[in-house]
């Protein structure tokens, strides 16, 4: 039985092989045809293009594929016909760059004569002009120097004043802890009680405050003019001294210590971008711990671009005379005068 099966498998295999050979001999070889015309045609001129196109003609239109408009409606715009002879790179005339006009209106010119503020300075695009920006950086640097600067020993010797300190240890603490600048150190209290005249009519104190530059530039003229003014008015003045890193409300504690009738406090103002040398003079009648701000008065903006120092010193003498006459300062003085 096994032998018959082997013969049957051999016959079937032979028939299949013969069938496959006949099929292979009868197939035609595959021929790949290539198009005779190129996919992309190049023409030198429009005339050559028209002469060589023998097949289906290309549809043409008088309108360009892309229309460019300037200002106005598309109907008003000029449409340039597209031609193949037009050069690819068309020269465009170069216009020289022009800065904005420097002319200012009459109102701005008038305002600039009466204020040092930055008005009518112009701009370059969206940014300030170089001169304006450099001036801003210079003023900002001057303000920083005023806050972190120190009054020189030479000036204190010229004024013949001694120096005391507050509970502040450095500039950073002075800026972040105003309360410490309103209190004298223990050594300062002892030194003031030893050297200063008790119960003076007028006690003058000086402090760098937030601008050492203001004291350097103005305090000598203001103090000498104030001394002269008080002398002419026959008003007694106490022992002047200098406080490093002091605040305005420090006059209350000094009033407690010396029992002065009037205190004149010359202090450097917070610097700005217009001036970093502005000084103020605070006055108060019998300042004590607990004095409110309404009881104080101030003459501010003392510098060469504001109130002249000599004029400010003379004017302070007249204010002190009023305070002593009415025995009041601040809002109460205004009420009694009115």
């Amino acid at each position: 039985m096994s032998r018959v099966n082997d013969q049957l498998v051999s016959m079937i295999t032979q028939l299949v092989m013969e069938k496959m050979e006949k099929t292979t001999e009868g197939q035609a070889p595959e021929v790949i045809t290539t198009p005779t015309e190129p996919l992309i045609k190049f023409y030198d001129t429009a005339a050559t293009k028209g002469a060589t196109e023998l097949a289906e003609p290309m549809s043409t239109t008088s309108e360009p594929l892309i229309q460019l408009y300037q200002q106005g409606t598309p109907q008003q715009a000029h449409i340039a016909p597209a031609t193949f002879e037009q050069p690819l790179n068309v020269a465009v005339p170069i216009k020289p760059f022009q800065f904005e006009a420097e002319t200012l209106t009459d109102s701005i010119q008038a305002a600039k004569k009466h204020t040092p503020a930055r008005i009518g300075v112009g701009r370059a695009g969206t940014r300030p002009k170089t001169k304006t920006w450099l001036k801003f950086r210079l003023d900002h640097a001057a303000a920083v120097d005023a806050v972190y600067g120190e009054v020189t020993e030479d000036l204190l010797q010229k004024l013949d004043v001694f120096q005391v300190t507050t509970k502040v240890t450095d500039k950073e603490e002075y800026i972040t802890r105003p309360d410490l600048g309103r209190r004298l150190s223990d050594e300062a209290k002892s030194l003031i009680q030893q050297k200063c005249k008790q119960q003076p009519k007028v006690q003058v104190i000086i402090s760098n405050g937030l601008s050492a530059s203001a004291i350097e530039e103005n305090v000598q003229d203001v103090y000498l003019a104030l001394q002269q003014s008080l002398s002419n008015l026959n008003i007694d003045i106490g022992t002047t001294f200098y406080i490093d890193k002091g605040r305005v409300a420090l006059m209350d504690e000094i009033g407690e210590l010396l029992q002065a009738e009037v205190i004149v406090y010359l202090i450097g103002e917070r610097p700005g971008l217009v001036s970093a040398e502005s000084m103020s003079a605070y006055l108060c009648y019998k300042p004590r711990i607990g004095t409110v701000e309404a009881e104080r008065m101030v003459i501010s903006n003392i510098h060469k671009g504001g109130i002249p120092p000599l004029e400010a010193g003379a004017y302070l003498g007249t204010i002190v005379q009023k305070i002593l006459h009415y025995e009041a300062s601040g809002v109460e003085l205004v009420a009694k005068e009115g």
Side-chain angles (χ1 to χ4, degrees):
M1 190 67 174
S2 175
R3 186 176 180 181
V4 174
N5 291 338
D6 292 340
Q7 291 179 355
L8 181 61
V9 171
S10 178
M11 292 175 61
I12 293 172
T13 303
Q14 186 177 359
L15 291 174
V16 171
M17 293 296 294
E18 291 177 358
K19 183 67 174 176
M20 290 178 63
E21 289 178 0
K22 291 181 180 181
T23 304
T24 304
E25 291 175 359
Q27 288 181 348
E30 184 179 358
V31 180
I32 301 175
T33 60
T34 57
T36 57
E37 294 186 3
L39 298 177
I40 303 175
K41 297 181 180 180
F42 296 93
Y43 304 102
D44 294 336
T45 62
T48 307
K49 172 179 177 292
T52 56
E53 284 185 346
L54 301 177
E56 182 180 353
M58 181 184 297
S59 60
T60 59
T61 177
S62 61
E63 296 183 359
L65 296 178
I66 301 176
Q67 298 181 357
L68 302 179
Y69 303 105
Q70 295 179 353
Q71 296 180 354
T73 60
Q75 290 78 11
Q76 297 173 345
H78 173 71
I79 300 174
T83 60
F84 288 95
E85 296 181 357
Q86 188 175 6
L88 297 177
N89 297 326
V90 180
V92 179
I94 300 175
K95 297 181 179 180
F97 178 77
Q98 295 181 352
F99 289 96
E100 293 183 359
E102 296 290 340
T103 56
L104 301 175
T105 62
D106 295 338
S107 60
I108 294 180
Q109 290 179 1
K112 287 176 70 69
K113 295 179 181 178
H114 296 87
T115 177
R118 290 173 172 80
I119 59 174
V121 294
R123 60 192 176 99
T126 59
R127 303 187 180 192
K129 294 183 178 180
T130 302
K131 182 179 179 180
T132 304
W133 176 245
L134 293 178
K135 182 65 168 57
F136 173 84
R137 293 293 301 272
L138 177 64
D139 293 339
H140 182 266
V144 173
D145 291 343
V147 174
Y148 285 91
E150 299 292 345
V151 175
T152 60
E153 289 292 335
D154 293 340
L155 178 61
L156 300 181
Q157 291 177 2
K158 289 179 182 178
L159 298 176
D160 191 22
V161 296
F162 66 94
Q163 179 175 341
V164 297
T165 59
T166 62
K167 291 187 175 182
V168 174
T169 57
D170 54 33
K171 283 290 185 180
E172 296 298 332
E173 189 175 55
Y174 175 72
I175 295 172
T176 58
R177 292 290 304 274
D179 57 312
L180 297 179
R182 301 188 185 107
R183 290 292 180 266
L184 293 168
S185 63
D186 295 336
E187 295 82 4
K189 292 179 183 179
S190 301
L191 193 60
I192 289 172
Q193 289 176 336
Q194 292 174 8
K195 292 191 173 184
C196 290
K197 179 181 178 180
Q198 294 292 322
Q199 297 181 350
K201 281 284 185 181
V202 179
Q203 175 64 52
V204 179
I205 53 180
I206 304 169
S207 178
N208 52 359
L210 285 167
S211 176
S213 302
I215 300 301
E216 288 282 341
E217 293 294 326
N218 306 297
V219 75
Q220 188 170 4
D221 290 340
V222 173
Y223 179 59
L224 295 178
L226 175 59
Q227 278 185 317
Q228 185 64 41
S229 178
L230 294 176
S231 176
N232 294 337
L233 296 171
N234 297 318
I235 298 175
D236 183 37
I237 186 172
T239 308
T240 305
F241 59 93
Y242 172 77
I243 306 172
D244 184 40
K245 304 178 185 67
R247 296 281 181 173
V248 173
L250 191 59
M251 66 166 58
D252 301 344
E253 187 173 9
I254 296 171
E256 291 277 359
L257 287 174
L258 301 178
Q259 297 295 307
E261 287 195 46
V262 179
I263 286 186
V264 180
Y265 195 171
L266 306 177
I267 188 170
E269 289 182 4
R270 180 180 290 105
L273 294 177
V274 172
S275 175
E277 302 172 352
S278 183
M279 191 182 76
S280 292
Y282 287 84
L283 303 95
C284 188
Y285 178 72
K286 291 186 177 180
R288 302 293 185 265
I289 300 297
T291 297
V292 297
E293 296 303 314
E295 297 177 20
R296 310 185 207 278
M297 51 199 315
V298 60
I299 308 299
S300 62
N301 203 33
I302 303 173
H303 62 98
K304 60 185 178 182
I307 302 175
L310 290 174
E311 181 180 336
Y315 179 64
L316 286 173
T318 62
I319 297 297
V320 170
Q321 185 182 34
K322 285 184 179 182
I323 292 174
L324 292 172
H325 175 71
Y326 289 102
E327 297 183 346
S329 60
V331 176
E332 188 179 355
L333 175 62
V334 175
K336 288 185 176 182
E337 276 190 306

